[in-house]
Amino acid sequence: MTLRLRRSELATPGSSERMIQKAASSDADLVFLDLEDAVAPPQKETARQLTIEALNSLEWGRKVRAVRINAINTVWVLDDIETSGSWKHFSTS
């Protein structure tokens, strides 16, 4: 197993296409796309779609990518989990 240093972590709202693109081209070691409290309730579905598109199509280099989904006790969590199957290179590790 190869260890990779994660010196910097960048949190990015999943609802902002511009910020997601900037995150992908950043020097951060880890980028997490946030579907939770960084996204207003009316934007949850759009944020999910932008996140899927970004994870599947942008050049992320060697960055570790993560998605923060909504809390288990919310109405959005099941959609977040179901959508995760659309993410290429999905890993639970």
Side-chain angles (χ1 to χ4, degrees):
M1 181 168 130
T2 304
L3 293 177
R4 291 181 12 192
L5 292 178
R6 295 181 194 164
R7 299 161 297 173
S8 59
E9 182 174 318
L10 180 60
T12 306
S15 57
S16 174
E17 186 173 7
R18 181 182 65 84
M19 291 180 77
I20 292 171
Q21 289 173 348
K22 289 179 95 173
S25 64
S26 74
D27 290 331
D29 296 313
L30 181 146
V31 171
F32 82 80
L33 303 179
D34 193 355
L35 297 177
E36 194 184 28
D37 55 352
V39 178
Q43 296 178 322
K44 297 286 187 183
E45 181 60 35
T46 301
R48 243 182 249 111
Q49 293 307 314
L50 286 173
T51 297
I52 291 166
E53 291 170 19
L55 290 172
N56 292 341
S57 65
L58 293 179
E59 176 55 50
W60 293 92
R62 291 186 33 87
K63 282 179 196 53
V64 174
R65 290 154 327 259
V67 177
R68 182 166 80 160
I69 64 172
N70 287 280
I72 194 78
N73 62 341
T74 65
V75 297
W76 304 289
V77 70
L78 289 178
D79 289 334
D80 291 349
I81 293 169
E82 288 173 1
T83 302
S84 68
S86 302
W87 303 332
K88 291 181 184 176
H89 312 294
F90 179 72
S91 172
T92 57
S93 58

